[in-house]
Amino acid sequence: MTDADSPDTPETRATPTQRDGAEVLQRVRTMFLGIATRRALIEYLLSVAAVMFLLTMIAYTIDLARIFPDIRWQSTYQETALPSVLLPYLLQRGVDIVTRMLPVAMFFGPFLAEIGRRLRLETVILATAGAGPGHRLAALLWLALILGGIYTGLEARWRPAAIQAQVETGLGDYAERYDDRWLEGRWVVNGDVAMRADLRRGSQPEMRNLLVFNGIGAAELASVVGAERAVPTDTPDVWRLEDVTEWTPETGSTLRTARTSEAPLLLTSAQLTHYGIAPYVLSTADLRTLARAPTETHYLPGIRTALWQRRLAIFLPGTVAFLAVAFATLGFDGRRILYPRLIGLAAAGYILTVSLKVFWALGQQGTVAPSTAVATALAVPLVIGTVAFVRQL
């Protein structure tokens, strides 16, 4: 057949450049939507779910062994069926457990799944057929997007809401630590000012038996202000003081200055509302309010670190999964399984995953800038995983 007799189709009319572009597009589509990618993604998801289920059941067993008598007592006291108290608690507690354990599941899930795929020769067959590492990376990208979105929701919205609900029910460790009881004899120090008071956090913050020491950095105190009670005003850092007394070096005695007065203190009403509560328990809106407070406390680095954790939470699952798959590929020499190496890689991966909290702690303590601490926690496993992955190419 001559060129004149050839059928006139889009393929024959396309230029070589257009055909090359179409081929590249088809390869990219196959890489991200092909059967091999979908199969790998499903195996990763199932493995993560299996590991997460195991970890959650272990955590439930430990937790219920201690808290179940309180659940049964509350059911009896409220004259309600036991499941009506137990099931909400399990749901609230489960959200917190999943959030805490998901990074560990994100390592061991893909790690075990990749080992299984290698033992079934899936990756070997794909490599022999000419499939490069792009299919594996595409599956990891889908996994990162799916679980990154879930983890962001857990960190920023669902866990704070679940913990708040648990506090309101009065069950569990969070209810014991974060209820609205009075905290006696607490100190707050900022610069050359120190404050001691009994504090009540919660929706109606209040202070009593207040003492404010001014000039603690000097050889002699500038003044000591006392108040029987302090309640918030419309201005965040200004409080209404009742039964105020003041001591100064000039008078050398205690003077009653006013029945009531208004003065700024080291805590705002929002800071007292959430005083002593771990930042990860608070909602994102509350964290932003505390980060903008006109007065600073030693909790501020922890608040900023929690905000950065939520901003970058979407990248955490994908980073850990990439490290897991890269480590799993190092445990084989051809078709030979290197069991000691796999065990060592599993231990190393677990240590790296848990060490994320070490970097976060550095940010919470103010040792490192919060943004640097959170970014470094992600960069370290990503760099190590990249090195391990490149070695297999």
Side-chain angles (χ1 to χ4, degrees):
M1 179 181 296
T2 64
D3 292 340
D5 298 328
S6 300
D8 187 16
T9 64
E11 289 76 6
T12 60
R13 292 197 303 268
T15 64
T17 302
Q18 290 174 331
R19 286 195 294 269
D20 292 341
E23 290 178 2
V24 171
L25 183 61
Q26 181 60 35
R27 290 176 183 175
V28 172
R29 186 182 295 112
T30 302
M31 182 183 300
F32 282 93
L33 302 175
I35 296 176
T37 300
R38 296 200 304 269
R39 181 180 175 86
L41 174 61
I42 291 172
E43 291 184 12
Y44 291 151
L45 287 172
L46 291 176
S47 188
V48 170
V51 174
M52 191 72 256
F53 177 80
L54 179 62
L55 294 175
T56 303
M57 291 302 102
I58 294 173
Y60 271 146
T61 301
I62 296 173
D63 189 67
L64 287 177
R66 183 183 56 83
I67 202 67
F68 189 76
D70 294 337
I71 295 175
R72 186 168 53 187
W73 178 87
Q74 188 173 107
S75 173
T76 303
Y77 178 77
Q78 296 177 349
E79 297 182 351
T80 58
L82 181 63
S84 66
V85 179
L86 177 61
L87 294 180
Y89 175 80
L90 291 178
L91 177 61
Q92 297 157 8
R93 194 73 186 94
V95 173
D96 181 50
I97 292 171
V98 170
T99 307
R100 288 174 176 270
M101 297 297 182
L102 187 58
V104 177
M106 280 302 305
F107 176 80
F108 283 106
F111 184 80
L112 295 174
E114 190 64 22
I115 292 174
R117 296 180 70 227
R118 186 62 176 265
L119 293 176
R120 294 192 300 272
L121 301 181
E122 285 186 35
T123 54
V124 175
I125 294 171
L126 288 172
T128 304
H135 292 81
R136 189 180 304 157
L137 293 176
L140 286 173
L141 180 60
W142 284 115
L143 183 71
L145 291 174
I146 294 171
L147 294 183
I150 293 174
Y151 187 68
T152 300
L154 287 168
E155 278 279 6
R157 293 185 295 275
W158 303 325
R159 177 163 68 164
I163 293 176
Q164 181 59 37
Q166 187 178 335
V167 172
E168 292 174 357
T169 61
L171 293 171
D173 290 337
Y174 290 117
E176 295 174 3
R177 284 183 282 170
Y178 300 140
D179 60 6
D180 294 348
R181 67 181 182 276
W182 282 93
L183 307 174
E184 298 182 355
R186 300 306 171 98
W187 286 87
V188 180
V189 180
N190 189 4
D192 63 347
V193 180
M195 183 179 75
R196 182 187 184 278
D198 299 336
L199 310 176
R200 186 176 72 180
R201 62 192 174 201
S203 58
Q204 296 179 331
E206 182 182 340
M207 289 184 269
R208 66 187 182 189
N209 301 326
L210 172 67
L211 289 173
V212 180
F213 303 87
N214 296 301
I216 61 175
E220 186 179 48
L221 289 174
S223 66
V224 179
V225 178
E228 290 295 322
R229 184 168 177 258
V231 294
T233 64
D234 294 334
T235 305
D237 61 335
V238 175
W239 296 75
R240 188 177 76 251
L241 309 182
E242 300 177 0
D243 294 328
V244 183
T245 58
E246 182 178 12
W247 175 91
T248 61
E250 291 77 13
T251 61
S253 61
T254 301
L255 300 177
R256 183 173 298 277
T257 58
R259 183 68 178 174
T260 62
S261 66
E262 293 187 357
L265 297 177
L266 296 182
L267 292 176
T268 66
S269 57
Q271 287 172 328
L272 181 52
T273 296
H274 307 297
Y275 181 85
I277 299 177
Y280 69 85
V281 174
L282 304 177
S283 68
T284 302
D286 289 335
L287 288 176
R288 288 172 178 165
T289 300
L290 294 175
R292 295 191 300 264
T295 59
E296 294 190 5
T297 67
H298 65 283
Y299 295 109
L300 187 58
I303 291 167
R304 290 174 175 168
T305 301
L307 283 171
W308 275 104
Q309 285 179 237
R310 295 179 183 185
R311 292 183 186 124
L312 300 181
I314 193 170
F315 301 107
L316 178 62
T319 300
V320 176
F322 176 70
L323 175 70
V325 172
F327 272 14
T329 59
L330 292 176
F332 293 84
D333 183 11
R335 296 186 181 182
R336 190 161 57 93
I337 308 173
L338 306 176
Y339 289 104
R341 183 184 293 183
L342 280 176
I343 294 173
L345 290 168
Y350 176 76
I351 292 173
L352 284 171
T353 303
V354 173
S355 67
L356 294 172
K357 296 183 179 180
V358 176
F359 290 102
W360 296 341
L362 292 175
Q364 292 163 1
Q365 297 299 321
T367 306
V368 180
S371 57
T372 303
V374 178
T376 304
L378 294 174
V380 169
L382 181 61
V383 170
I384 294 175
T386 301
V387 172
F389 193 85
V390 169
R391 288 189 59 185
Q392 303 301 308
L393 299 180

